[in-house]
Amino acid sequence: MTDKKRLKIGLALGSGGAKGLAHIGIIKVLEENNIPIDFIAGSSIGALVGGFYAATKDIKQIEKIAFDTDWRRIFSLIDPSLRQGLIRGEKIRKFIESYVDKINFQDLKIPFTAVATDIGNGQTVYLNRGEVASAVRASISTPLVFKPVKHLGKRLADGGLSLPVPVKAVKDMGADFVIAVNTEAHYFRNGQNSKVGFLKIANSSLNILRYHLADYSCQKADLIITPEPKGNVYWNKFLNGEDIVLSGEKAAKTSLSQLKESLRKKAREV
């Protein structure tokens, strides 16, 4: 197959909090096996990893950032807010800028879309113009934790609320073949749905909604990679996530033969 006829491959990186560190391991394996990435779309943590990679194409640097972050650095990024969220998020945006500068979307090394949600009407919003750091900051805006971002008259929150695995976004960018990364696929396998108690039932109910929405978001992907970290993953895993990155590597390696065969099959169809 000539380069002119090569399928354009899109990577849809899903939400999932610290479980999204698995995206780093998946990109590492794709790089090692010379699988090109022509487009990236990300929701929440997927936008953070995807935006960094689209700007740098240096997955080792991104892995180093993840592993070198400590408690002191985390607390230094907290800027308390009294309205609409506990954290204003300006320090988070500046943290992102410290690695990608004030780069605009048109200057990225890989075309990229950050996915956010309009908190006013629930609609999915694609962010692919202007400064990347501001778009990523909007996409990671977990409700009640981060203050929503004002953008063109809208209040934007976490992309995972409306499109947790942005397969549609990366297809809309022009991808012929979409690799989706769903970090929510193993919710029931981990026994998390068996929790009891008022707060635990409420939390489990939200997780079930996320599980089904993520599954629905993946339906038109050509290949779905589902990392499976051991045990429950909480926010503190952002500070000790080596095993989660490894779970991404393992899942990608397991999917490699299927990926290569699917690429060959689709290339014959176009």
Side-chain angles (χ1 to χ4, degrees), residues 40 42 44 46-56 92-116 127-140 149 151:
I40 302 174
S44 199
L48 185 62
V49 175
F52 275 22
Y53 187 67
T56 65
I92 296 287
R93 183 182 60 77
K94 290 179 179 177
F95 167 78
I96 298 168
E97 283 184 354
S98 71
Y99 291 103
V100 302
D101 205 355
K102 293 187 177 182
I103 192 169
N104 288 325
F105 278 89
Q106 67 265 26
D107 299 318
L108 291 171
K109 296 181 178 181
I110 302 173
F112 168 66
T113 294
V115 176
L127 300 173
N128 48 29
R129 295 182 180 179
E131 286 190 9
V132 173
S134 296
V136 171
R137 157 67 181 93
S139 185
I140 66 172
V149 172
H151 177 75

Side-chain angles (χ1 to χ4, degrees), residues 29-40:
V29 172
L30 294 178
E31 274 194 353
E32 290 165 0
N33 288 272
N34 299 313
I35 304 296
I37 301 172
D38 299 291
F39 306 98
I40 302 174

Side-chain angles (χ1 to χ4, degrees), residues 24 57 79 86 229 244:
I24 296 171
K57 286 196 74 173
D79 47 356
L86 297 175
I244 303 178

